Amino acid sequence: LGIEVPESLNSEIASALSPVKNPEKGWEHPHDYHLTLLFMGSLPEGHVPDITMRMRKIEAHPFSLTTSRFHF
């Protein structure tokens, strides 16, 4: 579950990440940048449609976010 990053921030994020990028890892392309709120990698596949449907019903309002550090 993640939040899309505004496209206007992609180049800033790419610049901030460039010193720590490992070319052997599959880094996200800038147009795929997002903030992960919850990683559901071990979620049984049968639960995905129900969660997707519930998430689409959520009404979200714009908000501001300030960061000071990134963790990998």
Side-chain angles (χ1 to χ4, degrees):
L1 175 62
I3 298 173
E4 292 180 11
V5 173
E7 193 172 326
S8 60
L9 297 178
N10 288 350
S11 62
E12 288 183 59
I13 293 170
S15 293
L17 293 175
S18 64
V20 297
K21 275 190 172 183
N22 180 343
E24 295 177 15
K25 286 192 168 202
W27 285 81
E28 296 285 333
H29 188 276
H31 72 266
D32 291 329
Y33 285 161
H34 63 278
L35 299 175
T36 301
L37 302 176
L38 176 66
F39 181 71
M40 295 185 271
S42 61
L43 184 70
E45 197 169 316
H47 288 63
V48 173
D50 184 51
I51 291 172
T52 301
M53 178 193 68
R54 290 171 186 256
M55 294 305 301
R56 287 191 173 141
K57 290 181 180 180
I58 294 175
E59 291 186 35
H61 302 282
F63 62 92
S64 295
L65 178 69
T66 301
T67 61
S68 61
R69 296 188 315 188
F70 287 98
H71 295 275
F72 302 96

